[in-house]
Amino acid sequence: MKMIAVESSNVECIGYENGVIEVHFHNGYAYRYPNCTEDLFNKFLASPSKGQFVHNVLKGHGEIRIR
């Protein structure tokens, strides 16, 4: 998955592939969020606060911690 570095105090980089959004945090943790659309990923990419987007939109919908 191609990861895109983002400006955020919480999120290091994000990526999208085959319906999965992947998020790497500055604290070393990384999560995959399944069942996502490319449109949702584009909204995430355009969001002024990546951390708030994760908390308000992605979190709690079957995420899988990968590290």
Side-chain angles (χ1 to χ4, degrees), residues 2-65:
K2 182 183 175 199
M3 301 302 289
I4 301 166
V6 295
E7 289 289 325
S8 170
S9 61
N10 200 11
V11 177
E12 180 179 334
C13 57
I14 64 176
Y16 177 81
E17 186 175 274
N18 298 325
V20 176
I21 291 176
E22 187 169 315
V23 181
H24 294 206
F25 294 91
H26 289 298
N27 66 6
Y29 293 157
Y31 290 85
R32 288 191 178 144
Y33 301 86
N35 305 312
C36 295
T37 64
E38 191 169 357
D39 182 56
L40 182 65
F41 176 73
N42 289 330
K43 289 177 182 174
F44 185 20
L45 195 55
S47 173
S49 174
K50 306 301 186 270
Q52 280 187 347
F53 191 93
V54 169
H55 184 74
N56 294 332
V57 178
L58 298 177
K59 190 175 177 182
H61 296 283
E63 65 269 13
I64 301 160
R65 184 172 164 193

